[in-house]
Structure formats: C-alpha cells, structure tokens
Amino acid sequence: MQLTRAAAEALDDADPLAGFRGRFAGTDDDGPVYLDGNSLGRMPLDTPAALARVAEQEWGRGLVGSWETWIDVGTRVGDLIGTGVLGARPGEVLLADSTSVDLYKLLVAAADARPGRDVLVCCADDFPTDRYVVAGVAAARGMTVREVPADVDEGLDPAVLAGALDERVAVVVLSAVAYRSGALADVAAVTAAARDAGALVLWDLSHAAGAVALDLAADGVDLAVGCTYKYLNGGPGAPAFLYVRRELQEELRQPIWGWFGQRDQFGMGPAYDPVPGIGRFAVGTPPVLAAAAVEVGVRLVAEAGMDRLAAKGRALTGLLVALADAHLAPHGVALASPRDPARRGSHVTLAHPHAWQLTRALVDRGVVPDFRTPDRVRFGPAPLYTRFVDVWDAVDRFRALLDDGGWTAYPAERSRVT
Amino acid sequence: MQLTRAAAEALDDADPLAGFRGRFAGTDDDGPVYLDGNSLGRMPLDTPAALARVAEQEWGRGLVGSWETWIDVGTRVGDLIGTGVLGARPGEVLLADSTSVDLYKLLVAAADARPGRDVLVCCADDFPTDRYVVAGVAAARGMTVREVPADVDEGLDPAVLAGALDERVAVVVLSAVAYRSGALADVAAVTAAARDAGALVLWDLSHAAGAVALDLAADGVDLAVGCTYKYLNGGPGAPAFLYVRRELQEELRQPIWGWFGQRDQFGMGPAYDPVPGIGRFAVGTPPVLAAAAVEVGVRLVAEAGMDRLAAKGRALTGLLVALADAHLAPHGVALASPRDPARRGSHVTLAHPHAWQLTRALVDRGVVPDFRTPDRVRFGPAPLYTRFVDVWDAVDRFRALLDDGGWTAYPAERSRVT
C-alpha cells in the first residue's frame, strides 16, 4: 500500500461512494477532518427539510389527523433499518425509545423466557450502559452477573465466552462491535454457541449498524438493539431500534406495558393485551419528529448499500492502520484495535499514555477523533462521507503534533464531556 | 352568562392572552376549529426555526462538540417545565423518555422504597397506559393491583380512594386530570391521605400540565410524570417529563441503569453509581432535536403564566358547558364532566350514544374534537390559542349537525386511530 497523499486521492477518485459525501452538512468547506462519526454521525443535508415538512405540514397543518400517518412510524422506519441495514426480515425491527431502554426491555423479556436460569453474561469491556443495565436487571431479579474478560484491543475471545456458557446462563449481552477497540464479534458463531447452551444472545449493534455488513436473518440472531445517531446519522439522541426474530416475538413479553403495544389501542380496554408482532415491544407514543430525521439518515445508508459501505470502511481503517504503523508508532502510539480488517468495525483505536491531551490538541488542529478511557484515541472514518485523504490528513496532523509536542500544553485533567 | 356569538367575541376582546393565538400555526386562516389540544397541541410558529437551528448549527456545524451544550438538556428543559408550569423547585424535573417509560421507572423506584407492601392502587377509569404499566409492574413483582372505581363523569371520589388505602399499599398511581371526563383531583389532599397511610402517590400530569395551575411544591407532591405534546405543545410523540421531590431523590433508584444517570459518565467505570440529583432518573442519550421543540412550547406556556391560562381554561370550558346545556342537551347530549369549574381541567366531555359518528361528522364540518370510548366526545379548548368564538362556533355546528341529522350517514364502526 502506497502511503502518499496522492495515493489517498487516487483511492477517493476510484471510490464508488464518493458522491455521498456532498449530501452531508459541513463537507463543502475547510471544516475539520471529522473522524467521530462513530459517536455522532454527520447531518444529512436533507434532514432540516424533512423536519420542517413533518413540523409545518403534518403537525402544524394536519394536526391530530396526521396520526393516520404517524401511527406506524416505529415499524415503518424500523423496517427501513431492518431490511436496509441489518439484514433482517420485514416486521422484525421497531424504532422506539433509547438504546438503554430497549436493552432493558429485551433483556427482561429474554430472562423471563429462560425461567430457572439465574446468570446473565456480559463482557467486562463492554459499553457502560450495557454493563449497567445488566447489573440492574440482575440486582432486581436476584440473578448473578458473569462478566467475561475481553482483550481490550482484540475483543472477546470466543473460547473465553464458550467457557462461560453453561446451564445456568439465561442471556448473553454483547456488542457486535466493541465500542473501545472496534473489535467485531463473530455474530453467527456466538449466537449458535449460546443457543447450544440454551441461552439467548442480546446483541448491541450500536457501533455495528451502518459500519459493518450484518445479516441478522442468516446469522440466526434472536435479539438486538442499536443506536441510530452514529453511522445511521439520525441526529443527537435519536431514537433507537430493537430487533426480535419473528419466530420469537409471540413468546416474549417486554416489561413496560405501554399503550402503544396494545391490541385495539383506541379501544382502551381494561387489560393489557399486546399485539402479536414486533409492535408489542412498543411502549409510549412514538417520537415522530425525531423519527423523521432517522428516516433520512437510514435511507442514505440503504441507498449506498451495506456491502459497499463495509468494504470502504475496511479500506479506510486499513489505510489508517498502515499510516499509524509508519508514522505514529515510532512516537509510541500503539494500535489498540484488531489488525485484521475482517475482525473490526469501522473505527480504529490508538493508545498513548497522554491520549486525553493528544485528543484535545488534535481537535484544535482540525481533526476530530474522540477520547476513551484510559489512554485511547478513537478514529471513526464513517464510510458514507469520509474520504481517504481525510484519513491521510488526520494521521499527518497527528504526526506533526507528536513531532512538535504541542499537546503538552493541554491540561491532563479530563473534562466532563468527551 | 350571555350565550350569543357577540358575547363570545367580547370575551375574546377582553382576553389578556389573546395575543398568543397568533404565535401558533394554523390560526390565521379558515382552518378548522381545533378543540383537540388536549390530545396534540398546536405547533408554535417558532418551532421550525428552533429545529432548524439545532439541526443545522448545533448538529450540522458543531457536530460532537455540541455535546457541551446538549449534555444537560434533560435537566435544563426539565427546570423550565418544573418552574414555569408545575410549581416545582429547580432540580426536581427531568425531560426524558416517554410518559409510559417514566411512569414505569418511578413506579418501580417507589415500590422498591416501600418494601413489605404488596399492593399498587390505580383508578379503574384511568388512561390505559397508567393501568397497564401498573398491571405489568404488579405482575413482575407478585404484587396485587387494587383498582379503585371512579365515577366516569365526576372522577374519583376522595372518600372511595381513602377506603382503599391501608398498610399494604405501596404506591398509588393517579391522573391529576382524568383523560376522559377532565375531572381534576385534589392533588394535595390525595397526596396527604396516601402519605398518612404510608404510601407514595405517583401522579400522571399528562392532561393537567399546561391546563391547570399546579403547585407540586406546596402540595407536597412526591412523584409525577407527564406528557409535553398536549397543552405544552412540544410536538407529536415529544419526550415526557418526570418529577421527583428533592428530598426523595437520594432515596430512590430507578430500575433502568443507563449511562446518562451515571456519576462521572465519561469515566465509564465498572459499576453503576448514579448522580445524586434528578439526573439519576435519566437513562439513555437525551433526545436533543425533540427537546428543542419542547422548549419552544414550554416557554410560551411559562410566558403566558399558568394562573392566567387556568383561569381562561375555566372560562372556556364554562362557556362550552353553558352552550351545551342550552343547545345540545335538548338533543340528548349529556355533560360527562364535572359541572363545577374548579373540579375540572381544560377539557369537557359530552356523551351521546352515537358519539363516534358525531365526532367524524364534526371533523368534516370543520370542528376537531376527539372520540373516547364508549360514547364520549371530548372538547379541549387549550387556553393558549383557543378563542371563545371557537367554542361558540363548535357548539353551533354541533347543534346544526344534530338538527339536520347529517351524522347518520357515517359508519358506526370505529377506525383504528381516533
């Protein structure tokens, strides 16, 4: 691989997805090199008009009559995500609530479906909300949490997970792409191993959806949740999605018995009686305005196609790893992600003892990665709008920063928002 | 009270809040008489610009750096609601999740705070999601639900509720304004009676917030939730609010242990350790775009002032009751709301055996009420933008419809969205 800027430009020239970049805000000027799409995706240029249309036409003019259109928004946008991004079948995905709330709903439902089993398994290096939700559910039910250790750089070893599976395990909660390292789990193999042990796996797809090619149907996935504000570009705090395999839906009942999951909802009958399909996992009134923004982002991902996006993601992160090896490693910056492109999502993490200061300094030099404890800098080149030259420029500025030591002027103390 | 249209016009001329109407969409033309603000409030004209600003400037340009602004959105907008609408103190209200999810969170937290008590009390005529959430929590915990009967028209009799309170009751869930009749509960008296019995009351303020003058602090209210898309005009499916009395916050722990309630959130530490204040009731990433719309609506309510809004609400519903007595009662339309203005919120319900057909016919004649089972038509004249002449015109068209029998052409079968 050639590591010149000209070589990166040539990759951009040959990129079949290059045209998508111009459909996002902030890509037409001298703005920063944005490599934090793994935290908050860029805004599609069509989003403000979609918000304005729903607000002014549907709400402002249509008023309550627009519920004829809105009533199905959770399953309609859910299906767009399911079929366009996740490899799910229609009727298996719902847009609703936040990732944390959805995780809770499906975890309780899954634990209920495995009576007599008293262990929840999660990964010690998983994203905080995943670990906390598991801990909370376990505490409330008198269950035991079995935290499986993971290699912080390479992710969870399937053999280690297999060793944690026995007849006591009800549910395994696991991120398909690890938030810190970007390590990509073998979704099909883990799902099968857990099923063999009689357990259900609840996947968190937050860092995977829109970053890697998922095929939930083919992989036999039972349960999943995920976020839409990262690679799906749905906007800050956008509603989350949940997935339940069709064959499992009737068997499960989520714990928050809200009126939007009710059969003959406006009959307002005396007893909770959830609808048969994915709609039974709905709780309250769906977030109509926010869903309009999610829809715009998801349509762009579906139009680009997950196979092409995943391939470009591997190429972008591959270039980043090669450049880091060449220019950053000599300064003591270590790769903290899997080296094999087939084993990672669309972000790469680098480790350095002064990662916090380096991150702040990079932001001030027009490169936006993010910091993760204790000593990591994450670079998330979202394939929908990140160019190969962006990766090249980011590493080049990182190298310059290490050369000139400008980061040492930054305070070592972490701020509250990273 | 004079019942001429000229008299209604005179009331509008004297209305100190008349100027607010022009700040809402759809009020400047020959659109329908909208009396369904108790279901979905009108759109403030400032809302699209607020959405565009947050989308284009904060998200599109500011990208992930805008989290410095957004991180506190739940408590910031929560305080606007708390101090401007609910009579709460700062730090007692959080904007988060849906009403149903918030109800669940606080109900579980409250039940946990009353160990050894195994009964949940709710009202048999309460809104479905309230009854269903209570049923779901009771089922999961092996608790008993004690459903207190309510007069469907007059609301819950405090003496009946008092009879249901004993040493087994952990939590009472009750709507401050009944969704069907509009009956207003005596918030202070019920709270005190429950407290005397050792129980907590969790109020649903969905039909009360923005409709009646609440004073949660003075009334000693412990727990409440409510919706922002009705009288607060936050938009379809807008996020809900929850209230926890300051002195009670440290004692309670909600069941969905999400990362947004965590102390040193970005430390991402091993164990869940919730922040001390109202923020501990947060779960996932807050809905930033939707919150911007809520803020616009809440600011209008706070600017108008709840005392003035409540007074106008009583006057509007009073006129409606007087007109219904004069012109609709002879056609067999019965009042199904408390006759005493001090005992109702800002909507009035009328009963007629063919309420469904009458509702559809009214919509086609440019009057928008809503239908509620089994035989009710609800009229919600939101005091922020409804004129006295709107109420007059609505009843006049209702009378004409009854005179000419035009409603008989409508099918009796209810559609799925009402």
Side-chain angles (χ1 to χ4, degrees):
Chain A
M1 186 186 289
Q2 275 199 302
L3 298 180
T4 60
R5 195 174 196 279
E9 284 171 350
L11 290 171
D12 286 322
D13 290 342
D15 174 16
L17 301 177
F20 282 92
R21 176 175 170 84
R23 295 164 71 178
F24 287 88
T27 58
D28 59 349
D29 61 8
D30 298 331
V33 175
Y34 190 64
L35 297 179
D36 205 7
N38 51 308
S39 177
L40 176 68
R42 281 190 184 274
M43 186 190 77
L45 288 173
D46 286 344
T47 300
L51 287 169
R53 189 194 68 244
V54 173
E56 295 178 20
Q57 302 301 316
E58 298 184 7
W59 173 20
R61 293 282 152 186
L63 286 161
V64 77
S66 293
W67 273 111
E68 290 285 350
T69 306
W70 297 333
I71 194 85
D72 295 324
V73 68
T75 49
R76 193 171 51 76
V77 180
D79 274 343
L80 291 176
I81 298 170
T83 59
V85 181
L86 306 180
R89 294 166 293 175
E92 295 189 319
V93 177
L94 178 77
L95 187 82
D97 299 314
S98 69
T99 310
S100 301
V101 169
D102 285 338
L103 197 69
Y104 176 87
K105 285 154 57 182
L106 294 194
L107 178 57
V108 171
D112 281 345
R114 290 294 179 272
R117 290 174 172 244
D118 69 340
V119 169
L120 300 176
V121 171
C122 70
C123 174
D125 196 47
D126 215 331
F127 190 76
T129 224
D130 301 74
R131 292 183 281 109
Y132 302 161
V133 167
V134 167
V137 170
R141 301 168 69 97
M143 298 178 84
T144 299
V145 177
R146 202 173 278 170
E147 277 208 354
V148 180
D151 183 307
V152 175
D153 303 340
E154 294 291 327
L156 181 62
D157 182 340
V160 172
L161 177 64
L165 295 175
D166 60 26
E167 71 293 342
R168 287 182 59 192
V169 176
V171 192
V172 178
V173 172
L174 198 58
S175 286
V177 170
Y179 85 101
R180 188 147 36 187
S181 66
L184 173 63
D186 186 333
V187 171
V190 169
T191 298
R195 185 172 293 161
D196 287 347
L200 290 162
V201 182
L202 169 47
W203 289 100
D204 184 341
L205 305 177
S206 292
H207 290 82
V212 297
L214 295 161
D215 194 343
L216 301 191
D219 288 351
V221 170
D222 288 315
L223 302 165
V225 299
C227 130
T228 66
Y229 52 75
K230 299 177 184 291
Y231 295 96
L232 301 186
N233 310 301
F241 64 83
L242 61 82
Y243 158 93
V244 180
R245 189 163 58 85
R246 196 184 291 158
E247 292 76 10
L248 205 62
Q249 289 169 7
E250 297 266 358
E251 184 185 331
L252 297 185
R253 180 175 277 207
Q254 59 85 17
I256 313 177
W257 295 6
W259 75 311
F260 254 79
Q262 174 76 353
R263 206 188 299 257
D264 186 18
Q265 180 183 359
F266 289 92
M268 300 189 164
Y272 180 66
D273 175 23
V275 296
I278 191 73
R280 65 168 44 208
F281 301 94
V283 177
T285 309
V288 172
L289 288 171
V294 173
E295 181 169 349
V296 174
V298 170
R299 285 191 183 280
L300 281 167
V301 169
E303 181 185 341
M306 277 314 309
D307 285 334
R308 294 200 298 177
L309 286 166
K312 183 178 172 188
R314 286 191 296 272
L316 286 163
T317 54
L319 176 63
L320 202 156
V321 169
L323 288 165
D325 283 345
H327 303 307
L328 307 180
H331 287 278
V333 174
L335 180 65
S337 292
R339 188 166 284 280
D340 176 0
R343 291 209 48 248
R344 63 178 182 245
S346 201
H347 72 267
V348 165
T349 303
L350 302 173
H352 185 282
H354 299 289
W356 169 255
Q357 291 151 285
L358 289 166
T359 303
R360 301 322 305 165
L362 279 169
V363 169
D364 286 346
R365 293 194 183 189
V367 177
V368 183
D370 65 11
F371 169 81
R372 281 296 172 258
T373 55
D375 59 359
R376 308 287 155 118
V377 191
R378 283 198 310 185
F379 295 87
L384 203 48
Y385 49 74
T386 307
R387 297 169 301 195
F388 291 91
V389 291
D390 292 328
V391 168
W392 197 93
D393 289 344
V395 176
D396 189 55
R397 293 185 208 176
F398 199 172
R399 170 171 61 172
L401 180 67
L402 290 160
D403 280 343
D404 66 33
W407 58 271
T408 58
Y410 287 78
E413 196 188 353
R414 199 160 43 80
S415 71
R416 68 178 184 146
V417 184
T418 70
Chain B
M1 186 183 289
Q2 276 199 300
L3 296 182
T4 61
R5 194 172 197 280
E9 284 171 351
L11 290 170
D12 285 323
D13 289 343
D15 175 16
L17 301 177
F20 282 92
R21 176 175 170 85
R23 294 163 73 178
F24 288 87
T27 58
D28 59 348
D29 60 9
D30 298 330
V33 175
Y34 190 65
L35 296 179
D36 205 9
N38 51 309
S39 178
L40 176 67
R42 281 191 184 274
M43 187 190 78
L45 288 172
D46 285 344
T47 300
L51 287 169
R53 189 195 68 245
V54 173
E56 294 177 19
Q57 302 301 317
E58 299 183 8
W59 174 20
R61 294 281 151 186
L63 285 162
V64 77
S66 293
W67 272 111
E68 291 285 350
T69 305
W70 298 332
I71 195 83
D72 295 324
V73 69
T75 49
R76 192 170 51 75
V77 180
D79 275 342
L80 291 176
I81 298 170
T83 59
V85 182
L86 306 181
R89 296 167 291 177
E92 295 189 319
V93 177
L94 178 77
L95 186 82
D97 300 314
S98 68
T99 310
S100 301
V101 169
D102 284 339
L103 196 70
Y104 176 87
K105 285 154 55 182
L106 294 194
L107 178 56
V108 171
D112 282 346
R114 291 294 179 272
R117 291 174 172 245
D118 69 341
V119 169
L120 301 177
V121 171
C122 71
C123 175
D125 196 47
D126 215 333
F127 190 75
T129 224
D130 300 72
R131 293 182 281 111
Y132 303 161
V133 166
V134 167
V137 169
R141 302 168 69 98
M143 297 178 84
T144 299
V145 178
R146 201 174 280 171
E147 277 206 356
V148 181
D151 183 306
V152 175
D153 303 339
E154 292 292 326
L156 181 62
D157 181 340
V160 172
L161 178 64
L165 295 174
D166 61 26
E167 71 293 340
R168 287 181 60 191
V169 176
V171 192
V172 177
V173 173
L174 198 59
S175 286
V177 171
Y179 84 102
R180 189 151 30 189
S181 65
L184 173 63
D186 186 333
V187 171
V190 169
T191 298
R195 185 173 292 160
D196 288 346
L200 290 162
V201 182
L202 168 47
W203 290 99
D204 184 340
L205 306 177
S206 291
H207 290 81
V212 297
L214 296 161
D215 195 342
L216 301 191
D219 288 349
V221 170
D222 288 315
L223 302 164
V225 300
C227 133
T228 65
Y229 53 74
K230 298 178 185 292
Y231 296 95
L232 301 185
N233 310 302
F241 63 83
L242 62 84
Y243 158 93
V244 180
R245 189 164 58 85
R246 195 185 289 159
E247 292 75 11
L248 204 64
Q249 290 170 6
E250 297 265 359
E251 183 185 330
L252 297 186
R253 180 175 277 207
Q254 60 85 16
I256 313 177
W257 294 5
W259 75 311
F260 255 79
Q262 174 77 354
R263 208 187 296 261
D264 187 19
Q265 178 183 1
F266 289 92
M268 298 189 167
Y272 180 66
D273 176 23
V275 295
I278 192 72
R280 64 169 43 209
F281 300 95
V283 177
T285 309
V288 172
L289 288 171
V294 174
E295 181 169 348
V296 174
V298 170
R299 284 191 184 282
L300 281 166
V301 170
E303 182 185 339
M306 276 315 309
D307 285 334
R308 294 200 298 175
L309 286 167
K312 182 176 172 188
R314 285 190 298 271
L316 286 164
T317 54
L319 177 62
L320 203 155
V321 169
L323 289 165
D325 283 345
H327 304 306
L328 306 181
H331 287 280
V333 174
L335 180 65
S337 293
R339 188 166 284 280
D340 177 358
R343 291 208 49 245
R344 64 178 181 243
S346 201
H347 71 269
V348 165
T349 303
L350 302 174
H352 185 281
H354 299 288
W356 168 255
Q357 290 151 286
L358 289 166
T359 303
R360 301 324 304 166
L362 280 169
V363 170
D364 286 346
R365 294 194 182 187
V367 177
V368 183
D370 65 11
F371 168 81
R372 281 295 172 259
T373 55
D375 59 358
R376 308 287 155 118
V377 190
R378 284 197 310 186
F379 294 87
L384 203 47
Y385 49 74
T386 306
R387 298 170 300 194
F388 292 91
V389 291
D390 293 328
V391 168
W392 197 94
D393 289 344
V395 176
D396 189 55
R397 293 186 209 177
F398 199 171
R399 171 173 59 170
L401 179 66
L402 290 160
D403 280 343
D404 65 33
W407 58 271
T408 57
Y410 288 77
E413 197 188 354
R414 198 160 45 79
S415 72
R416 67 178 184 148
V417 182
T418 69

